[in-house]
Amino acid sequence: MNLVFTEKHTENVGLSIGVTRQLYSGQSEFQLIEVFESEDFGRFLALDGFMMLTEKDEFIYHEMIVHVPMAVHPNPRNILIIGGGDGGAVRELCRYKSVEHIDLVEIDEQVVQVCKEHLPTVASDLDDSRVKIHYEDGLRYIRRFTDYYDLIIVDSTDPFGPGEGLFTKEFYGNCNKALKEDGILSNQHESPFYPLDASAVRQIHKRVITSFPLCRVYQAHIPTYPSGHWLFGFSSKKYHPVKDLDCQKWEELGLKTRYYNTKLHKASFALPTYVEELIREVE
Amino acid sequence: MNLVFTEKHTENVGLSIGVTRQLYSGQSEFQLIEVFESEDFGRFLALDGFMMLTEKDEFIYHEMIVHVPMAVHPNPRNILIIGGGDGGAVRELCRYKSVEHIDLVEIDEQVVQVCKEHLPTVASDLDDSRVKIHYEDGLRYIRRFTDYYDLIIVDSTDPFGPGEGLFTKEFYGNCNKALKEDGILSNQHESPFYPLDASAVRQIHKRVITSFPLCRVYQAHIPTYPSGHWLFGFSSKKYHPVKDLDCQKWEELGLKTRYYNTKLHKASFALPTYVEELIREVE
């Protein structure tokens, strides 16, 4: 048997990964959920045929979406994650003793159940006593909060399918309202390389900048995402992602990370010229 | 017809690119040379089945291997490129008026001829009057020079096949000897992500650090190279790649680049923790 999982990055470009077995396949109310096992990437989760995470490189995405805002905010205690039912962002957050409460809003309960069963190294902290999971649409959940969270992490899927509402102006406006006056929002910001992905970057960025006074884009290398070049957004009402970073304070926490470090934190906001131009187009 | 070019990044992982036509295929004395045309990456060159460059993302590799050392050296006039028969590094160098002479040492004349004919936007400056092409083995060429070059760019293929000699200790020792006392060497340093590629990183780095007092690694996003995460080496006898960078001086040259800029230059030396660790293993 020779199973191959192929994800199309464009109509004519695909990344193929040899699969040793399929661990799970089920259609939820929202999407097709699959978990595979592979030699090169360990286990991986796909939603509607798109790779969401692999055991081998998920640390990059989760460390960068969590530790960048966490290292900037002086006292992040009350945190909201929208999406992220796999538990990767929760796991990174739970490493901070200062965190008092995490609301995880995941529309698809089945994603959480499947990850708990088949991706235990990712979902490891979903049962932490500080975590409350809400099976609800993030777009609706966020409407009822004002001046409440220190940090919101938008760990969404792509801007089509069940996550579509998380790419609207209304959503980012409500995130701003739900954050305290020194709150921070981090979100996945898509990839700048392929033209269709670059359109998504423009679309997200345009919506975020209308809702936040400060919005900067940072980058990371994520091998299993299209082009391997991935962007994140850092938006805030008060803090600057580089000027307000207290390296020493973060280093004193003693958290062991595999991708993130404070030098890289600062460096990740220096973008290639073509990415700078892409973002400036909508600013 | 539905042509697909697939490059294996590991035994079980491959990047596939739909091809509209094959423009050239020929076996030289050294390797199989092919040029294809694709919708997503324009034309691309493959040697022995491995992608060397595509029209759509070659700017990243060539800007980073050239402009990083060029922005640090205060007066680079006499330059050696080993490999690089496609002409991409030559093109970037020829944009500097200060450059007086470029020796390009390419073992395979047929690569140069094929690129001139089929990849004219890359090979555009191979006929510049400052460029002299030597069809010779770089390992042998370098032996006869002492205190001669300001900058050596090692634009080699992977550490197997005809480029193998360019990954030896002898070669880097001779590069050091061929450089002036304030000379700089930049080289492609492979990818840190997949285990076999990471071994190549260790192997190259180990050899470079025995020959140069200062050696730093920097990174870029190159979508068509394995994992999309690519490393370069900056080695020198005198200059530090970040402390000795004169941003203003470089910016005053007015060179338009699409990936490189001086902020990114500094940032590209901040590596993810796992890459830092990989490099420190051999230091």
Side-chain angles (χ1 to χ4, degrees):
Chain A
M1 198 174 59
N2 213 338
L3 281 177
V4 175
F5 175 92
T6 300
E7 178 173 325
K8 286 204 154 191
H9 290 174
T10 75
E11 207 178 310
N12 304 299
V13 175
L15 184 71
S16 298
I17 297 177
V19 161
T20 45
R21 60 183 173 137
Q22 187 181 50
L23 293 165
Y24 179 84
S25 177
Q27 178 72 41
S28 76
E29 191 187 334
F30 303 99
Q31 53 207 338
L32 173 66
I33 305 169
E34 293 167 294
V35 181
F36 299 95
E37 195 170 65
S38 71
E39 231 168 83
D40 295 275
F41 289 102
R43 294 181 174 196
F44 65 88
L45 170 72
L47 297 179
D48 284 340
F50 291 94
M51 282 194 116
M52 289 297 119
L53 63 87
T54 82
E55 284 182 330
K56 281 284 163 70
D57 71 347
E58 58 87 10
F59 72 96
I60 304 171
Y61 178 88
H62 292 124
E63 287 187 10
M64 290 302 276
I65 205 165
V66 167
H67 299 306
V68 169
M70 285 297 285
V72 173
H73 197 291
N75 192 18
R77 288 183 292 189
N78 194 23
I79 295 161
L80 171 64
I81 302 171
I82 306 249
D86 51 71
V90 164
R91 180 194 63 205
E92 293 305 312
L93 280 171
C94 282
R95 303 172 68 191
Y96 293 84
K97 283 180 193 156
S98 68
V99 168
E100 291 170 4
H101 187 79
I102 302 168
D103 285 308
L104 176 73
V105 180
E106 167 60 57
I107 201 167
D108 194 343
E109 183 168 359
Q110 208 167 319
V111 167
V112 174
Q113 300 314 326
V114 169
C115 291
K116 276 186 173 178
E117 190 178 339
H118 296 290
L119 291 157
T121 61
V122 185
S124 56
D125 294 82
L126 285 172
D127 293 324
D128 188 288
S129 62
R130 294 170 289 176
V131 179
K132 181 155 187 210
I133 308 183
H134 309 259
Y135 297 111
E136 196 179 331
D137 182 354
L139 181 64
R140 291 172 58 174
Y141 176 90
I142 193 74
R143 286 184 189 136
R144 51 185 184 263
F145 294 91
T146 302
D147 193 24
Y148 187 73
Y149 290 108
D150 298 306
L151 169 60
I152 298 176
I153 294 173
V154 184
D155 181 6
S156 62
T157 53
D158 297 313
F160 40 82
E164 213 167 339
L166 306 183
F167 289 83
T168 59
K169 215 162 128 178
E170 186 215 333
F171 174 69
Y172 286 107
N174 284 331
C175 283
N176 180 304
K177 183 170 76 68
L179 282 168
K180 289 186 189 150
E181 55 85 30
D182 66 346
I184 297 173
L185 176 136
S186 70
N187 69 308
Q188 73 94 343
H189 225 80
E190 299 286 319
S191 167
F193 187 73
Y194 294 113
L196 269 179
D197 297 338
S199 302
V201 172
R202 262 189 226 101
Q203 187 191 329
I204 300 173
H205 196 66
K206 206 170 164 178
R207 277 149 198 193
V208 178
I209 54 167
T210 58
S211 301
F212 285 88
L214 186 149
C215 179
R216 294 288 183 280
V217 172
Y218 61 105
Q219 63 183 3
H221 289 89
I222 305 184
T224 52
Y225 283 2
S227 88
H229 189 171
W230 209 256
L231 303 179
F232 298 89
F234 176 105
S235 306
S236 95
K237 302 189 189 184
K238 185 175 172 183
Y239 300 119
H240 186 282
V242 177
K243 290 176 199 157
D244 292 315
L245 167 67
D246 185 340
C247 297
Q248 204 193 331
K249 192 182 156 202
W250 192 85
E251 279 148 23
E252 280 170 6
L253 295 174
L255 301 181
K256 278 213 170 178
T257 46
R258 288 192 285 156
Y259 191 89
Y260 179 86
N261 57 63
T262 53
K263 265 190 199 167
L264 185 88
H265 174 134
K266 289 181 265 184
S268 68
F269 288 88
L271 304 174
T273 306
Y274 86 95
V275 182
E276 284 277 6
E277 286 169 357
L278 173 67
I279 284 159
R280 258 189 245 127
E281 274 176 41
V282 295
E283 277 184 346
Chain B
M1 199 173 59
N2 213 337
L3 282 177
V4 175
F5 176 93
T6 299
E7 178 173 328
K8 286 203 155 192
H9 291 174
T10 75
E11 208 179 308
N12 304 300
V13 176
L15 184 71
S16 300
I17 298 178
V19 159
T20 44
R21 62 183 173 138
Q22 187 181 50
L23 292 166
Y24 179 84
S25 177
Q27 178 72 42
S28 76
E29 191 186 334
F30 303 98
Q31 53 207 340
L32 173 65
I33 305 170
E34 293 166 293
V35 180
F36 299 94
E37 194 170 65
S38 70
E39 231 167 84
D40 295 274
F41 289 102
R43 295 180 174 197
F44 65 89
L45 170 71
L47 298 178
D48 283 341
F50 290 94
M51 282 194 115
M52 289 297 121
L53 63 86
T54 83
E55 284 182 330
K56 280 286 162 71
D57 71 347
E58 57 86 11
F59 72 98
I60 303 171
Y61 178 89
H62 291 123
E63 288 186 11
M64 290 303 277
I65 204 166
V66 167
H67 299 305
V68 169
M70 286 296 285
V72 173
H73 197 292
N75 191 17
R77 286 182 292 190
N78 194 23
I79 295 160
L80 171 63
I81 302 171
I82 306 250
D86 53 70
V90 165
R91 181 195 63 204
E92 292 304 312
L93 281 171
C94 282
R95 302 173 68 190
Y96 292 84
K97 283 182 192 154
S98 68
V99 169
E100 290 170 4
H101 186 79
I102 302 167
D103 285 309
L104 176 74
V105 180
E106 166 61 57
I107 201 168
D108 195 342
E109 183 168 358
Q110 208 166 319
V111 167
V112 175
Q113 300 313 327
V114 169
C115 292
K116 275 187 174 177
E117 189 178 340
H118 296 290
L119 291 156
T121 60
V122 186
S124 56
D125 294 80
L126 286 171
D127 292 325
D128 187 288
S129 62
R130 295 170 290 176
V131 178
K132 183 159 185 204
I133 308 183
H134 309 260
Y135 296 110
E136 197 179 331
D137 183 354
L139 181 64
R140 291 172 60 175
Y141 176 91
I142 194 77
R143 287 184 187 135
R144 53 185 184 265
F145 294 91
T146 302
D147 192 25
Y148 187 72
Y149 289 108
D150 298 306
L151 168 60
I152 298 177
I153 295 172
V154 185
D155 181 5
S156 63
T157 52
D158 297 313
F160 41 81
E164 214 168 338
L166 306 182
F167 289 83
T168 60
K169 215 162 126 175
E170 186 215 333
F171 174 69
Y172 286 108
N174 284 330
C175 283
N176 181 306
K177 183 169 76 67
L179 281 168
K180 290 185 189 153
E181 56 86 29
D182 66 346
I184 298 173
L185 176 135
S186 69
N187 69 308
Q188 73 95 341
H189 225 79
E190 299 287 317
S191 168
F193 187 73
Y194 294 112
L196 270 178
D197 298 337
S199 302
V201 172
R202 264 189 224 99
Q203 188 191 329
I204 300 174
H205 196 66
K206 205 171 165 176
R207 279 150 196 193
V208 178
I209 54 167
T210 59
S211 302
F212 285 88
L214 186 149
C215 180
R216 293 289 183 280
V217 172
Y218 61 105
Q219 63 183 4
H221 289 90
I222 306 186
T224 53
Y225 283 3
S227 87
H229 189 171
W230 210 255
L231 303 179
F232 298 89
F234 176 105
S235 305
S236 95
K237 303 190 189 184
K238 185 173 171 184
Y239 301 119
H240 187 282
V242 176
K243 290 175 197 156
D244 291 315
L245 167 67
D246 185 341
C247 297
Q248 204 192 332
K249 192 182 156 202
W250 192 84
E251 279 148 23
E252 280 169 7
L253 294 174
L255 300 180
K256 278 215 169 177
T257 45
R258 287 191 286 156
Y259 192 88
Y260 179 85
N261 57 64
T262 52
K263 264 190 200 168
L264 186 87
H265 173 134
K266 289 182 265 183
S268 68
F269 288 88
L271 303 174
T273 305
Y274 86 96
V275 182
E276 285 277 5
E277 287 169 357
L278 173 67
I279 284 159
R280 259 189 244 129
E281 275 177 39
V282 296
E283 277 186 348

